[in-house]
Amino acid sequence: MPAKNKAVFLDRDGVLNQEMGDYVRRLEDFHILDNFEALKTLQDRGYLLLVATNQGGLAKGWYTEEELTKMHSLLKQTYHEHGIEITDFFYCPHHPLFTGDCDCRKPKPGLLLQGIAKYDIDPSKSYFIGDRERDVEAGTAAGVKGILIDSDQPISTVLDQIK
Ligand SMILES: [Mg+2]
Ligand SMILES: [Zn+2]
């Protein structure tokens, strides 16, 4: 059976919420960018929306999984109020200097591979929007087309690259 779903993977910081220069540690520094129309458009085109984010700040002890969950709940809830469903959040809690190597920290493709397996996604019909070269590399390694944007660049500007 061929995979039945397609997805747009989204990096978090600099794509969904404002890039703050480093891991966002506090809920009050978590500012959601206005990408509501663009994400609704992608959802209407039949894409699942999945977040894939490096959260090495966890390994560094800068914030806890509980605080991270609050940020992701806020994101999910805010989008929900705009008619957009984020299907899942995949994050890498590791950092090479603190926890050693892992398979999920981008540019490794682990987070995307988790999403692809969990939601029966066809990578050849899927995309990864990120603001770092490592996002594109992770996408390519997972067989997903990477789309590089500038930090905080509106997603509406790349909609024409997504079928
Ligand atoms: Mg980013
Ligand atoms: Zn990891």
Side-chain angles (χ1 to χ4, degrees), residues 91-95 102-105 111:
Y91 61 88
C92 165
H94 311 113
H95 190 284
C102 68
D103 293 326
C104 47
R105 183 176 165 85
L111 298 175

Side-chain angles (χ1 to χ4, degrees), residues 47-105:
Y47 290 96
L48 297 177
L49 302 175
L50 300 167
V51 177
T53 177
N54 283 353
Q55 292 299 327
L58 287 169
K60 296 182 177 184
W62 285 358
Y63 45 88
T64 63
E65 303 234 10
E66 194 186 344
E67 287 164 311
L68 185 71
T69 300
K70 277 188 199 157
M71 293 182 214
H72 292 176
S73 297
L74 176 67
L75 204 49
K76 196 171 168 68
Q77 181 57 31
T78 305
Y79 284 131
H80 180 76
E81 286 162 11
H82 287 80
I84 300 153
E85 298 309 323
I86 299 286
T87 298
D88 213 337
F89 293 81
F90 296 94
Y91 61 88
C92 165
H94 311 113
H95 190 284
L97 300 179
F98 294 79
T99 51
D101 272 337
C102 68
D103 293 326
C104 47
R105 183 176 165 85

Side-chain angles (χ1 to χ4, degrees), residues 6-160:
K6 57 183 184 174
V8 174
F9 289 91
L10 301 149
D11 175 44
R12 201 195 76 177
D13 299 351
V15 176
L16 298 179
N17 54 280
Q18 247 175 57
E19 173 60 54
M20 301 299 283
D22 211 333
Y23 302 110
V24 180
R25 305 179 198 207
R26 304 181 309 163
L27 194 60
E28 50 268 46
D29 293 331
F30 194 77
H31 303 297
I32 297 173
L33 297 165
D34 181 359
N35 280 309
F36 302 116
E37 259 190 57
L39 293 174
K40 184 74 169 58
T41 299
L42 292 175
Q43 179 173 279
D44 290 347
R45 289 183 193 174
Y47 290 96
L48 297 177
L49 302 175
L50 300 167
V51 177
T53 177
N54 283 353
Q55 292 299 327
L58 287 169
K60 296 182 177 184
W62 285 358
Y63 45 88
T64 63
E65 303 234 10
E66 194 186 344
E67 287 164 311
L68 185 71
T69 300
K70 277 188 199 157
M71 293 182 214
H72 292 176
S73 297
L74 176 67
L75 204 49
K76 196 171 168 68
Q77 181 57 31
T78 305
Y79 284 131
H80 180 76
E81 286 162 11
H82 287 80
I84 300 153
E85 298 309 323
I86 299 286
T87 298
D88 213 337
F89 293 81
F90 296 94
Y91 61 88
C92 165
H94 311 113
H95 190 284
L97 300 179
F98 294 79
T99 51
D101 272 337
C102 68
D103 293 326
C104 47
R105 183 176 165 85
K106 299 174 288 184
K108 298 265 185 69
L111 298 175
L112 304 190
L113 296 176
Q114 288 172 33
I116 287 166
K118 186 169 178 185
Y119 294 101
D120 193 21
I121 286 162
D122 180 348
S124 72
K125 292 183 181 145
S126 299
Y127 298 83
F128 185 20
I129 303 174
D131 65 340
R132 296 275 190 268
E133 196 54 50
R134 67 176 179 218
D135 296 320
V136 174
E137 285 174 43
T140 304
V144 167
K145 187 182 188 316
I147 298 176
L148 183 65
I149 62 170
D150 291 328
S151 295
D152 303 349
Q153 179 183 334
I155 292 173
S156 57
T157 58
V158 296
L159 281 184
D160 60 347

